[in-house]
Amino acid sequence: MVGSTQGLPLEVRLSAYLDGQLPADEVAEIDAILADDAAARAVYEKLKLGSEFGARAFERMLQEPIPFDLVRNIKDVRGDQDDSSSSLGFAAIPISDTRAPRRSAFWPQALAASLVIFLAGGAVGYLISEQKQTSFQSAANEFAPARTWLDDVADYHRIYARQARHLVEVPASEKDHIAEWLSASTGVTFTVPDLTAQKLTFEGARLLVANGKPTAQLLYRDAENEIFAICFLKSDPVEGTTAMVESMRNDVGLISWQKGDASFVVVGPSADPDLERIAEAVSTTI
């Protein structure tokens, strides 16, 4: 963990945040900045993409076979050493084929080259994010897995679930306004679910953007102060209701399904055993 980054440029602080190198008090500060500052979130996304870009380029490099010239040079060095031992009159000692590889002067060079390529890959990823949208999308498609709206929802939940004072955009006391506002914004008609039977208290709502579409987020709190969310957006229509699909993004659990022309997901702590039961209750009431 690095020391304090107070006073350093935002890009440096976000990079340390992305790498998990900040002290706990600064993590909370960066969380608040990301929650309230759209420009900071944009820089964070660019840094994250650059990191993923470089890491994947490095993984591809590691999968390449060792160059033949390097192998041949190593064998030549080993042969010269064997010849030197014989000329001095030392008897050859049989060596097991399973012994650890001998270090040579070429491996530090190869390792240094690998690190240079890795760092260059990360820098290129960040620079590509500054180019036109067409070039940006091409690089992202090549080196990063396709993101879905659930990835965006999980990222939002991880940030907002840590907020105390700024958990919601519109409080629960304006439930009627929330239903009208989010229905008009997303194009999805819904009713705010009453989840008191599941021991959840409605806290309010936010409007997000997931996969480039306006997305509603209804937020609930349980007795242990854990935050749960219901998110939904307009999607290509299906007949009836699809089966529920459970997925996980690190510490965030998601149970998603589609009904008519809308996609829904219930989000909460991945370790919570009641997440599926909550999702079933939501699907019948929303």
Side-chain angles (χ1 to χ4, degrees):
M1 180 175 294
V2 301
S4 173
T5 62
Q6 294 284 355
L8 295 179
L10 178 62
E11 291 81 359
V12 175
R13 304 191 71 196
L14 289 175
S15 180
Y17 174 86
L18 184 63
D19 293 337
Q21 295 296 313
L22 288 181
D25 57 336
E26 290 196 39
V27 169
E29 180 184 351
I30 296 298
D31 285 340
I33 291 173
L34 291 175
D36 297 333
D37 190 336
R41 289 197 297 271
V43 173
Y44 174 74
E45 290 299 327
K46 290 175 183 178
L47 287 171
K48 184 165 65 172
L49 178 62
S51 177
E52 293 173 355
F53 184 103
R56 293 185 181 280
F58 188 50
E59 287 178 6
R60 288 192 175 190
M61 183 201 70
L62 291 180
Q63 293 171 1
E64 293 294 325
I66 298 174
F68 179 72
D69 288 343
L70 179 59
V71 176
R72 183 172 56 190
N73 287 332
I74 293 172
K75 287 184 177 180
D76 289 343
V77 171
R78 180 177 174 182
D80 292 342
Q81 291 173 344
D82 291 343
D83 291 342
S84 298
S85 297
S86 298
S87 65
L88 293 174
F90 294 107
I93 301 175
I95 300 176
S96 169
D97 290 338
T98 60
R99 67 178 185 174
R102 185 191 302 270
R103 293 175 59 88
S104 76
F106 297 95
W107 282 109
Q109 298 175 8
L111 177 59
S114 299
L115 292 174
V116 168
I117 292 173
F118 173 69
L119 294 174
V124 170
Y126 182 81
L127 292 175
I128 284 178
S129 68
E130 298 290 346
Q131 303 302 317
K132 290 192 249 182
Q133 184 63 26
T134 52
S135 299
F136 171 84
Q137 193 61 50
S138 174
N141 289 341
E142 182 177 358
F143 289 99
R147 284 178 62 89
T148 70
W149 78 289
L150 297 180
D151 293 300
D152 292 335
V153 163
D155 287 344
Y156 278 120
H157 187 82
R158 192 173 290 109
I159 291 174
Y160 287 128
R162 297 174 180 175
Q163 300 300 310
R165 186 174 179 181
H166 300 286
L167 175 64
V168 299
E169 190 173 357
V170 179
S173 58
E174 300 183 48
K175 184 183 295 186
D176 292 341
H177 170 66
I178 287 173
E180 180 181 353
W181 165 52
L182 292 181
S183 292
S185 299
T186 64
V188 178
T189 302
F190 72 100
T191 300
V192 176
D194 181 357
L195 299 179
T196 53
Q198 282 69 45
K199 300 180 180 178
L200 294 178
T201 302
F202 182 52
E203 295 288 334
R206 282 184 175 273
L207 180 63
L208 312 176
V209 177
N211 201 29
K213 296 182 179 181
T215 303
Q217 184 188 47
L218 309 178
L219 293 133
Y220 294 77
R221 189 189 304 273
D222 70 3
E224 284 72 40
N225 212 34
E226 294 285 358
I227 301 300
F228 295 78
I230 304 167
C231 299
F232 52 89
L233 48 69
K234 193 89 168 180
S235 59
D236 294 333
V238 297
E239 290 190 11
T241 303
T242 64
M244 290 187 176
V245 177
E246 184 175 357
S247 58
M248 189 180 301
R249 304 293 192 277
N250 296 323
D251 56 333
V252 177
L254 307 99
I255 298 181
S256 58
W257 70 95
Q258 190 171 348
K259 181 178 181 181
D261 61 353
S263 294
F264 298 86
V265 63
V266 169
V267 191
S270 60
D272 195 291
D274 295 327
L275 197 60
E276 184 176 357
R277 176 177 57 81
I278 294 170
E280 290 174 351
V282 170
S283 68
T284 60
T285 58
I286 197 167

